[in-house]
């Protein structure tokens, strides 16, 4: 039987977990920044009667109106606003309040970004950020890190899962990430391989969408580092959904069918659908192959 496992469900669950867990991370960072410690956990205080002494500013630098990638301020904003209200009303000690300032950094994940200029302009306008939340794109987060580390402020990636392409992720010491990372996805795949004794998977990596290009690169690095069996038995095959025509994609699938029975497709839903239709036409959906897709 051909098995299609849509990881979009996993991604949505993890996104919800990210939003919930970010509240506790925010509070820890903000209390460190403000130098405040709360002894009021068991006290009930009407915040309206206590004058505000410290305003901590969360500066959101998050992509908006995105296509083909999982992070988008339009989706995250309601939960982030509710989390801020809840933290101000029920968690933070008297005298400390959170406020947010949003900056739209565009809709694409690309090294060609204006995020540095936007952060400098914000600072010139007199906005002092206690913490930066975002970006979603790992490439942009790496660039953002270079500036914000000079200012000695923390960054909470949202999710910045691609951090580690330009340098080891351990070098980005001011970035915290509360969601799943690409290496976590690789760990899930390794468990899947072990459970069903797959040793020769083929991984099709779409290079036309930056999100999936990053996912493919870091996932490949992690898989090859952690499994000697996968290192020698797997095939990582790049393709370009935006440029490759049907005959070329069919040729790729035919080549894969000669050596692999498990096919991992790292691409968006439209591309996965196209490849699965082509695979069906080539007789690859009759039970001899398993397709596991990472889609959005």
């Amino acid at each position: 039987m051909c098995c299609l496992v849509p990881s979009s469900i996993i991604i949505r669950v993890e996104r919800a977990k990210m939003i919930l867990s970010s509240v506790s991370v925010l509070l820890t960072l903000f209390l460190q920044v403000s130098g405040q410690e709360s002894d009021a956990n068991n006290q009930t205080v009407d915040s309206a009667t206590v004058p505000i002494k410290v305003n901590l500013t969360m500066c959101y630098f998050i992509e908006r109106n995105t296509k083909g990638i999982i992070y988008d301020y339009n989706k995250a904003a309601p939960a982030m606003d509710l989390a801020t209200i809840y933290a101000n009303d029920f968690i933070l000690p008297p005298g400390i309040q959170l406020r947010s300032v949003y900056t739209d950094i565009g809709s694409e994940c690309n090294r060609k970004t204006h995020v540095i200029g936007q952060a400098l302009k914000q600072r010139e306008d007199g906005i002092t950020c206690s913490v930066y939340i975002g970006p979603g794109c790992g490439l942009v987060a790496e660039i953002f890190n270079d500036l914000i580390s000079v200012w000695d402020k923390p960054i909470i990636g949202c999710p910045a899962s691609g951090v580690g392409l330009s340098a080891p992720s351990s070098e980005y010491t001011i970035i915290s990430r509360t969601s799943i990372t690409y290496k976590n996805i690789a760990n899930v795949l390794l468990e899947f391989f072990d459970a069903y004794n797959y040793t020769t998977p083929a991984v099709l990596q779409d290079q036309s969408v930056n999100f999936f290009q990053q996912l493919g690169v870091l996932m490949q690095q992690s898989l090859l580092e952690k499994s000697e069996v996968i290192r020698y038995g797997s095939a990582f095959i790049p393709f370009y959904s935006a440029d490759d025509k049907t005959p070329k994609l069919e040729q790729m699938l035919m080549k894969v069918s000669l050596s692999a029975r498990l096919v991992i497709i790292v691409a968006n839903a439209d591309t996965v659908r196209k490849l699965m239709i082509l695979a069906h036409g080539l007789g690859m959906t009759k039970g001899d192959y398993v397709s596991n897709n990472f889609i959005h």
Side-chain angles (χ1 to χ4, degrees):
M1 180 180 294
C2 178
C3 175
L4 180 63
V5 184
S7 64
S8 56
I9 296 175
I10 300 174
I11 291 174
R12 291 190 182 100
V13 171
E14 293 295 340
R15 182 189 294 149
K17 288 167 61 179
M18 175 193 75
I19 292 170
L20 292 175
S21 62
S22 64
V23 175
S24 61
V25 176
L26 283 172
L27 294 177
T28 301
L29 288 170
F30 291 151
L31 292 177
Q32 290 175 351
V33 170
S34 64
Q36 301 287 332
E37 294 184 358
S38 173
D39 295 322
N41 292 335
N42 299 317
Q43 299 178 13
T44 302
V45 180
D46 184 1
S47 59
T49 64
V50 179
I52 301 301
K53 298 178 182 178
V54 179
N55 279 314
L56 299 172
T57 302
M58 304 178 294
C59 294
Y60 298 153
F61 281 71
I62 304 175
E63 295 82 352
R64 196 169 199 167
N65 300 319
T66 60
K67 294 182 179 180
I69 48 183
I70 66 172
Y71 37 82
D72 193 313
Y73 181 72
N74 294 337
K75 300 175 183 177
M80 298 170 90
D81 289 345
L82 286 173
T84 302
I85 293 171
Y86 182 83
N88 283 335
D89 290 348
F90 300 107
I91 301 178
L92 286 173
I96 299 179
Q97 290 283 277
L98 307 181
R99 73 184 187 99
S100 61
V101 178
Y102 173 69
T103 299
D104 185 349
I105 62 172
S107 60
E108 297 182 357
C109 178
N110 199 303
R111 291 187 187 278
K112 296 180 180 179
T113 174
H114 299 289
V115 68
I116 298 298
Q118 290 171 315
L120 290 170
K121 178 63 167 57
Q122 187 182 72
R123 197 173 179 90
E124 289 177 1
D125 291 340
I127 299 175
T128 301
C129 303
S130 301
V131 63
Y132 292 86
I133 299 179
C137 174
L139 294 174
V140 178
E142 291 178 341
I143 296 170
F144 202 42
N145 173 87
D146 295 340
L147 173 65
I148 306 306
S149 60
V150 174
W151 295 341
D152 196 26
K153 301 294 183 181
I155 297 175
I156 298 178
C158 190
S161 293
V163 168
L165 279 174
S166 302
S169 56
S170 58
E171 294 188 13
Y172 300 97
T173 56
I174 66 169
I175 298 179
S176 299
R177 293 177 292 174
T178 58
S179 70
I180 57 171
T181 65
Y182 297 158
K183 290 185 178 181
N184 293 143
I185 294 175
N187 292 335
V188 171
L189 283 176
L190 285 174
E191 292 185 11
F192 179 65
F193 297 160
D194 289 341
Y196 295 96
N197 197 30
Y198 290 119
T199 58
T200 58
V203 183
L204 309 184
Q205 304 164 302
D206 189 0
Q207 306 296 296
S208 295
V209 180
N210 280 323
F211 172 78
F212 293 105
Q213 188 270 337
Q214 294 171 39
L215 172 58
V217 169
L218 290 177
M219 192 172 71
Q220 177 178 346
Q221 290 177 355
S222 186
L223 287 173
L224 297 182
E225 287 173 2
K226 295 181 178 181
S227 174
E228 185 174 348
V229 172
I230 297 301
R231 187 184 308 140
Y232 294 107
S234 59
F236 294 87
I237 304 171
F239 71 98
Y240 293 84
S241 62
D243 302 322
D244 293 347
K245 305 301 181 183
T246 295
K248 189 170 184 179
L249 294 176
E250 287 181 333
Q251 184 179 11
M252 176 183 69
L253 290 173
M254 292 176 64
K255 182 178 179 180
V256 165
S257 70
L258 299 177
S259 59
R261 291 296 178 265
L262 171 65
V263 183
I264 310 294
I265 305 174
V266 186
N268 64 32
D270 290 339
T271 301
V272 169
R273 181 177 182 275
K274 182 177 181 179
L275 289 175
M276 292 302 293
I277 291 174
L278 293 177
H280 179 74
L282 295 172
M284 296 177 64
T285 59
K286 297 179 180 180
D288 295 327
Y289 302 89
V290 174
S291 171
N292 193 330
N293 308 300
F294 284 87
I295 63 176
H296 172 58

